[in-house]
Amino acid sequence: MPVEIREVLENYKDYLGQDLVLEGWVKTSRDSKNFGFIQLSDGSGFAGIQVVYESDIENFKEIAKYPIYSSIRVEGELVESPGAKQPIEIHAKKITPEHLAESDYPLQKKRHTFEYLRTKAHLRPRTNTFQAVFRVRSLIAFAVHEFFQKRRFVYVHAPIITASDAEGAGEMFQVTTLDLNNPPKGDDNKVDFSQDFFGKHTNLTVSGQLQGEAFATAFRNIYTFGPTFRAENSNTQRHAAEFWMIEPEMAFADLEDNMNVAEDMLKYIIRYVFEHAPQEMEFFNSFIDKGLIDRLQNVVNSEFVRITYTEAIDILQKSGHEFKYPVSWGIDLQTEHERYITEEVYKKPVFIVDYPKEIKAFYMRENEDKKTVAAMDLLVPGIGEIIGGSQREERMDVLVEKLKDFGLDEESYSWYMDLRRYGSVVHSGYGLGFERAVMYITGMKNIRDVIPFPRTVGNAEF
Amino acid sequence: MPVEIREVLENYKDYLGQDLVLEGWVKTSRDSKNFGFIQLSDGSGFAGIQVVYESDIENFKEIAKYPIYSSIRVEGELVESPGAKQPIEIHAKKITPEHLAESDYPLQKKRHTFEYLRTKAHLRPRTNTFQAVFRVRSLIAFAVHEFFQKRRFVYVHAPIITASDAEGAGEMFQVTTLDLNNPPKGDDNKVDFSQDFFGKHTNLTVSGQLQGEAFATAFRNIYTFGPTFRAENSNTQRHAAEFWMIEPEMAFADLEDNMNVAEDMLKYIIRYVFEHAPQEMEFFNSFIDKGLIDRLQNVVNSEFVRITYTEAIDILQKSGHEFKYPVSWGIDLQTEHERYITEEVYKKPVFIVDYPKEIKAFYMRENEDKKTVAAMDLLVPGIGEIIGGSQREERMDVLVEKLKDFGLDEESYSWYMDLRRYGSVVHSGYGLGFERAVMYITGMKNIRDVIPFPRTVGNAEF
């Protein structure tokens, strides 16, 4: 394989004066009577390289007419280019077309709206914005893995197809191989799912947490990182039907430990991206979200605040601020409340803990006050909630009561209760919506623009 | 959090003579009149630590009765233990129960069959075999990421829910939110999928390759690593309905480059596991698959063989060996043929390339002979095919013909054809079935035993 352009740019001093063969796509092209310039990109890094050719090159006139995004092969010398944006350029000796793009290429030079680019999801990663977004997405994913693997957490693939509903709520996608035009029916004239592929009714998972808990009682520290699904009919900038979740689960760890890991993780990821994608971060800061870099640097350098829900309610009530949703103890905090606390009051990330038990999931550990549970939400400036977690209820008797209170069937949680029957331990975990993290770190505002091929209501193209 | 047992074992010299607090589960327990021994495990590493307590400890008699897999807290001094399996042990000063397991714990000390353990998938990771399997599974996953990230490949999350069928074949799971007892019907009395969540009929993906190709024309080198699905009604040791796939895709790369990357990747993964899980590998070699370590070392140290399909047929025909499936040019190679070549003839991994086009997918690049395509399969001793890949057809006109030959609808591949319309390039990629790699490296023989919660015909428990 010919050398990658990223490699040449990063270590150009090693290549200066050498004849190189490069392959890539024509990003821009301009020419005058005696010269031509091509911005050549091979996607290996954010920047392309400038190719200069002179009128004595073979096919001078044809080269100037190569359509945008034609793939070409360039042979030439790497030379210094004083005064230019890049310190070097290729002085071409031979340029050969590999494939000339058709001239109706849908992404010509002029700017396109993100809406339009969504209709070209197979081509948009070729644009600067989406080059940056999807490379950073990849780096964040790897940073997550590296963070947990360094701490020896075991990566667990939770099942995607499931017969249970982790949250005891949530609208789910059904999975079936039945002939939907003519499904088998039982005596009650209802569909007979015992004849379906798995012998029962199955759905796409909404969370891997419960399975993660099982593995935490074997490996102490584990994490999941996989796709999850919500069949919510909501058409917002923040909701997708298919998204990825990271769910660590830790045995012998309480809520405090949980917050420590979440804080360390978020800082690790941000630092990793700054280190591995400085050009992309500069791009976002200049063109997508001015102030992004300062905001993220502030997160890395802050100690996160930790307050209780009761304190948060108190702060909101005494703030004198007019909220659209009135504040009183027992309400679920709205984004406006969350953002007020993290952006106006503290100006840095804030953990809120100990929420009223009625507004949180059944598996969260009940506190001594019997009114609150050991839940935690992490709020960050610019976005609001980014992580939600809790210490889990490890006491068998309390959990049985909770299942009843939530109207859940104990029988279908029987294996989950086994984790309390045999060697139950204090344990905790949290969930990070991966796309929300990508939006937060890139400054992109619509979840459709951080997912390669987004799935939302009415949209499963490509 | 108290210190992890793995940390104490790995760096025991730093802790000798210190008083430590450890938490973990009772793996085994025995006692005599004046002494008791507990094997304490917290899952942080493959080995537990021996805890010794004497008759003068508080609750001496109770401690000896703690049921298996009770969770306990141990305070005591780390002391040398000359002559024992481990160089150190904990001399306990205080042992406190955190939770006493119920006495009917389903995994008592005696050995259980893998079949039985599958019915306890939430508990089996607590056993030695599955501790080793799932830790190695996690390490292999990370090694894959690290291999590609070091080479700056971009990790792409291909969509899980899709309206297309990548392979143009394969039985797929349908995904729907329609009320299956009472679905909306059209004038033709068929289910009206325009009223379904995505406004059309959708399935679970069988491969992320086509979407990966789109990203390779933007980033040059990419890889996917995500779940894929097959609704095949086959009940074998090697098939699951839900499994994970790794699919790199490289622009400006031909079949030779493709093989180089596949070979490097496989060697990288094996080396990584040897380095990070030596105890687990010894365990597999002793108890699961004698000869495993030698076989894998041989892979790491071999240069893989590369032969054509035509050569392979010739070798098989001249071998004098009786095969169940007769050999002639044009057949799809069976496992017996593949294993004969890799195990008997070469005794190391073998790439076979240039298969008859009729037995391979439509997107594989047609060779000059017009009879074969630039496909590659990697065969390894002990398992047969482990990787399948190809150079992709980059020529628009040839691809249009292939779609026709395969009876596929050009319209639904329109976005895929765009990749040939605009800057088409020589490109290649392959697929590695992740579970097959885990089986190969652990020596486990049933795919159900390398997946945390396996999904197969009739089975979607947990």
Side-chain angles (χ1 to χ4, degrees):
Chain A
M1 290 188 272
V3 64
E4 292 172 13
I5 290 172
R6 173 191 46 72
E7 161 65 16
V8 173
L9 292 175
E10 284 182 358
N11 302 301
Y12 69 88
K13 285 179 181 158
D14 300 345
Y15 294 96
L16 263 179
Q18 287 186 31
D19 275 352
L20 300 176
V21 177
L22 299 178
E23 289 179 289
W25 293 279
V26 176
K27 286 299 265 285
T28 62
S29 174
R30 65 198 162 84
D31 66 300
S32 64
K33 210 170 125 193
N34 300 316
F35 286 98
F37 301 92
I38 287 172
Q39 190 66 22
L40 185 72
S41 170
D42 67 354
S44 59
F46 190 61
I49 194 166
Q50 171 147 285
V51 175
V52 184
Y53 58 97
E54 295 181 23
S55 56
D56 60 351
I57 201 171
E58 205 181 325
N59 299 319
F60 177 72
K61 297 218 157 150
E62 284 71 30
I63 293 169
K65 290 184 207 137
Y66 290 167
I68 297 301
Y69 228 81
S70 293
S71 51
I72 62 172
R73 179 186 178 90
V74 175
E75 301 172 50
E77 185 186 346
L78 189 73
V79 297
E80 293 195 76
S81 169
K85 259 204 292 190
Q86 284 180 334
I88 42 97
E89 62 191 21
I90 294 283
H91 190 167
K93 295 174 178 170
K94 189 171 180 192
I95 297 180
T96 330
E98 297 193 353
H99 176 261
L100 294 183
E102 292 179 24
S103 58
D104 60 346
Y105 183 53
L107 310 185
Q108 298 290 345
K109 204 178 157 191
K110 71 179 174 66
R111 278 175 164 264
H112 298 286
T113 64
F114 289 161
E115 287 76 11
Y116 172 74
L117 290 172
R118 276 173 222 143
T119 69
K120 304 287 175 201
H122 60 310
L123 302 177
R124 67 177 177 169
R126 301 171 173 193
T127 65
N128 284 339
T129 300
F130 291 96
Q131 276 271 312
V133 166
F134 292 121
R135 187 174 285 103
V136 166
R137 181 180 165 110
S138 167
L139 291 170
I140 296 173
F142 186 66
V144 168
H145 281 297
E146 194 176 80
F147 173 80
F148 287 116
Q149 295 275 339
K150 275 187 179 168
R151 295 179 173 225
R152 312 284 194 102
F153 281 50
V154 169
Y155 178 28
V156 176
H157 290 110
I160 312 298
I161 298 171
T162 171
S164 77
D165 174 355
E167 301 278 344
E171 299 171 65
M172 300 175 84
F173 290 102
Q174 306 165 90
V175 175
T176 179
T177 56
L178 295 177
D179 176 356
L180 299 185
N181 284 311
N182 187 24
K185 303 251 177 155
D187 292 340
D188 56 0
N189 205 31
K190 295 209 162 175
V191 174
D192 178 10
F193 287 105
S194 75
Q195 295 186 49
D196 205 346
F197 189 89
F198 295 108
K200 58 171 72 166
H201 188 248
T202 53
N203 302 304
L204 292 178
T205 185
V206 297
S207 162
Q209 180 199 314
L210 304 195
Q211 292 93 352
E213 285 186 55
F215 271 65
T217 67
F219 290 104
R220 184 163 192 155
N221 294 325
I222 67 93
Y223 68 108
T224 70
F225 189 168
T228 52
F229 304 84
R230 294 285 152 82
E232 269 175 67
N233 202 338
S234 56
N235 216 330
T236 81
Q237 295 210 327
R238 289 159 57 92
H239 290 88
E242 175 181 316
F243 55 98
W244 287 62
M245 281 251 281
I246 295 136
E247 298 182 284
E249 192 71 33
M250 294 158 278
F252 306 108
D254 63 17
L255 196 64
E256 198 71 22
D257 301 317
N258 208 15
M259 285 189 276
N260 292 343
V261 172
E263 180 169 340
D264 288 352
M265 180 197 70
L266 197 59
K267 289 175 174 175
Y268 187 92
I269 297 170
I270 295 170
R271 277 197 207 99
Y272 188 91
V273 174
F274 275 131
E275 190 181 331
H276 290 83
Q279 291 176 314
E280 285 84 350
M281 292 308 292
E282 286 293 344
F283 174 86
F284 293 130
N285 196 54
S286 301
F287 296 107
I288 301 295
D289 184 358
K290 290 188 207 310
L292 177 71
I293 289 181
D294 280 350
R295 197 162 65 238
L296 294 175
Q297 289 289 10
N298 179 37
V299 171
V300 169
N301 297 321
S302 305
E303 201 174 320
F304 295 5
V305 176
R306 301 177 183 196
I307 60 172
T308 65
Y309 169 89
T310 303
E311 286 165 344
I313 292 293
D314 198 46
I315 289 165
L316 292 169
Q317 285 178 328
K318 290 183 177 155
S319 70
H321 187 88
E322 280 277 325
F323 293 105
K324 193 175 151 212
Y325 294 92
V327 176
S328 65
W329 202 98
I331 64 158
D332 208 352
L333 295 181
Q334 302 296 315
T335 303
E336 58 168 343
H337 307 135
E338 295 175 340
R339 294 186 63 164
Y340 184 82
I341 287 174
T342 184
E343 290 168 17
E344 304 298 325
V345 181
Y346 292 106
K347 297 178 175 40
K348 56 182 179 171
V350 179
F351 282 108
I352 300 186
V353 302
D354 298 339
Y355 283 79
K357 67 178 179 182
E358 286 78 10
I359 60 172
K360 289 290 183 183
F362 75 92
Y363 50 72
M364 297 191 177
R365 191 179 196 280
E366 194 168 285
N367 287 324
E368 299 311 308
D369 63 16
K370 307 230 181 221
K371 282 163 46 190
T372 61
V373 288
M376 70 176 206
D377 281 359
L378 176 61
L379 318 180
V380 291
I383 203 160
E385 186 205 325
I386 192 166
I387 284 175
S390 69
Q391 190 172 323
R392 318 308 190 186
E393 185 55 75
E394 88 281 11
R395 294 162 298 186
M396 185 74 179
D397 51 344
V398 182
L399 193 56
V400 169
E401 281 307 307
K402 285 294 273 291
L403 282 175
K404 274 190 204 137
D405 291 350
F406 279 74
L408 296 169
D409 169 35
E410 198 184 322
E411 177 56 28
S412 52
Y413 288 90
S414 149
W415 68 266
Y416 185 66
M417 307 304 274
D418 275 357
L419 310 177
R420 278 76 184 165
R421 281 187 195 102
Y422 310 114
S424 193
V425 288
V426 169
H427 65 294
S428 302
Y430 62 85
L432 168 69
F434 178 62
E435 279 77 11
R436 213 161 268 191
V438 178
M439 291 166 74
Y440 180 55
I441 291 173
T442 61
M444 297 295 286
K445 295 287 174 277
N446 194 313
I447 196 168
R448 291 167 182 81
D449 296 330
V450 301
I451 299 178
F453 299 93
R455 271 73 180 101
T456 53
V457 187
N459 183 24
E461 303 308 308
F462 306 102
Chain B
M1 287 188 274
V3 64
E4 291 172 14
I5 290 172
R6 172 191 44 73
E7 161 64 17
V8 174
L9 292 174
E10 284 181 0
N11 301 302
Y12 68 88
K13 284 177 182 159
D14 300 345
Y15 295 95
L16 263 179
Q18 287 185 30
D19 275 353
L20 300 176
V21 177
L22 298 178
E23 288 178 289
W25 293 279
V26 175
K27 286 300 268 284
T28 63
S29 174
R30 64 198 163 83
D31 66 300
S32 64
K33 208 170 128 193
N34 299 316
F35 286 98
F37 301 91
I38 286 172
Q39 190 66 21
L40 185 73
S41 170
D42 68 354
S44 60
F46 189 61
I49 194 166
Q50 171 147 286
V51 174
V52 185
Y53 57 96
E54 295 182 23
S55 56
D56 59 351
I57 200 170
E58 205 180 325
N59 300 319
F60 176 73
K61 296 220 159 148
E62 284 70 29
I63 293 170
K65 290 183 208 138
Y66 289 167
I68 297 301
Y69 228 80
S70 293
S71 51
I72 62 173
R73 178 186 178 91
V74 176
E75 300 172 50
E77 184 186 348
L78 189 72
V79 297
E80 294 195 77
S81 169
K85 259 204 291 189
Q86 285 181 333
I88 43 99
E89 63 191 21
I90 295 283
H91 189 166
K93 294 175 178 171
K94 189 171 181 190
I95 296 179
T96 331
E98 297 194 353
H99 176 261
L100 294 183
E102 293 179 24
S103 58
D104 60 348
Y105 183 54
L107 310 185
Q108 297 290 347
K109 203 177 156 191
K110 71 180 173 66
R111 278 175 164 265
H112 297 286
T113 65
F114 290 160
E115 288 75 11
Y116 171 74
L117 290 172
R118 275 173 222 143
T119 69
K120 305 285 175 201
H122 60 310
L123 302 176
R124 68 177 176 168
R126 302 171 173 192
T127 65
N128 284 340
T129 300
F130 291 95
Q131 276 271 312
V133 166
F134 292 121
R135 187 174 285 105
V136 167
R137 182 181 165 110
S138 167
L139 292 170
I140 296 173
F142 186 66
V144 168
H145 281 296
E146 194 175 80
F147 173 80
F148 286 116
Q149 294 275 339
K150 275 187 179 170
R151 295 178 174 225
R152 311 284 194 103
F153 281 49
V154 169
Y155 178 27
V156 176
H157 291 109
I160 312 298
I161 299 171
T162 172
S164 77
D165 174 356
E167 301 277 345
E171 298 171 65
M172 301 174 84
F173 290 102
Q174 305 164 90
V175 175
T176 179
T177 56
L178 294 178
D179 176 358
L180 299 185
N181 284 312
N182 187 22
K185 302 250 177 154
D187 292 341
D188 56 359
N189 205 30
K190 295 209 164 175
V191 174
D192 178 9
F193 288 104
S194 74
Q195 296 187 48
D196 206 347
F197 189 89
F198 296 107
K200 59 172 69 166
H201 187 248
T202 53
N203 301 304
L204 292 178
T205 185
V206 297
S207 161
Q209 180 199 315
L210 304 195
Q211 291 93 350
E213 284 186 56
F215 271 64
T217 67
F219 290 104
R220 184 164 191 154
N221 294 325
I222 68 95
Y223 68 108
T224 71
F225 189 168
T228 51
F229 305 84
R230 295 285 153 81
E232 269 175 69
N233 201 337
S234 56
N235 215 330
T236 81
Q237 296 210 327
R238 288 158 58 92
H239 290 89
E242 175 181 316
F243 54 99
W244 286 62
M245 281 252 282
I246 296 136
E247 298 183 284
E249 192 71 33
M250 295 158 277
F252 307 107
D254 62 17
L255 196 63
E256 197 74 20
D257 300 318
N258 207 14
M259 285 188 277
N260 292 342
V261 172
E263 181 169 341
D264 289 351
M265 181 197 70
L266 197 60
K267 290 175 175 174
Y268 187 93
I269 297 171
I270 295 170
R271 276 198 208 98
Y272 188 91
V273 173
F274 276 131
E275 190 182 330
H276 291 83
Q279 290 176 316
E280 286 83 350
M281 293 308 292
E282 286 293 343
F283 174 86
F284 292 130
N285 197 54
S286 300
F287 297 107
I288 301 295
D289 184 358
K290 290 190 207 311
L292 176 71
I293 289 181
D294 280 350
R295 198 162 66 238
L296 293 175
Q297 289 289 10
N298 180 37
V299 170
V300 169
N301 298 321
S302 303
E303 200 174 321
F304 295 5
V305 176
R306 301 178 183 195
I307 60 172
T308 65
Y309 169 90
T310 303
E311 287 165 343
I313 292 292
D314 197 47
I315 289 165
L316 292 169
Q317 285 178 328
K318 290 183 177 154
S319 70
H321 187 88
E322 281 277 326
F323 293 106
K324 193 175 150 209
Y325 294 91
V327 176
S328 65
W329 201 98
I331 63 159
D332 207 354
L333 295 181
Q334 301 296 315
T335 302
E336 59 167 342
H337 307 135
E338 295 175 341
R339 294 187 62 164
Y340 184 82
I341 287 174
T342 183
E343 290 169 16
E344 304 298 325
V345 181
Y346 292 105
K347 298 179 174 43
K348 56 181 178 171
V350 179
F351 282 108
I352 299 185
V353 301
D354 298 339
Y355 283 79
K357 67 178 180 182
E358 286 77 12
I359 60 172
K360 289 289 183 182
F362 76 92
Y363 51 71
M364 298 191 178
R365 190 179 197 279
E366 194 168 284
N367 287 324
E368 298 311 308
D369 62 16
K370 308 232 180 216
K371 284 162 45 189
T372 61
V373 288
M376 69 177 207
D377 280 1
L378 175 61
L379 318 179
V380 291
I383 203 162
E385 187 206 324
I386 191 166
I387 285 175
S390 69
Q391 190 172 325
R392 318 307 190 187
E393 185 56 74
E394 88 281 9
R395 295 161 299 186
M396 184 75 178
D397 52 343
V398 182
L399 193 56
V400 168
E401 280 307 306
K402 285 296 274 290
L403 282 175
K404 276 191 203 137
D405 292 350
F406 279 74
L408 296 169
D409 169 33
E410 199 185 321
E411 178 56 28
S412 52
Y413 289 89
S414 151
W415 68 266
Y416 185 66
M417 306 304 274
D418 274 357
L419 310 177
R420 278 75 184 165
R421 282 188 194 100
Y422 310 114
S424 192
V425 288
V426 168
H427 64 294
S428 301
Y430 61 84
L432 168 68
F434 178 62
E435 280 76 10
R436 213 162 268 190
V438 178
M439 291 166 74
Y440 181 55
I441 291 173
T442 61
M444 297 295 286
K445 294 288 174 278
N446 194 314
I447 196 168
R448 293 167 182 78
D449 296 330
V450 301
I451 298 177
F453 299 94
R455 272 71 181 103
T456 53
V457 187
N459 183 26
E461 303 308 308
F462 305 101

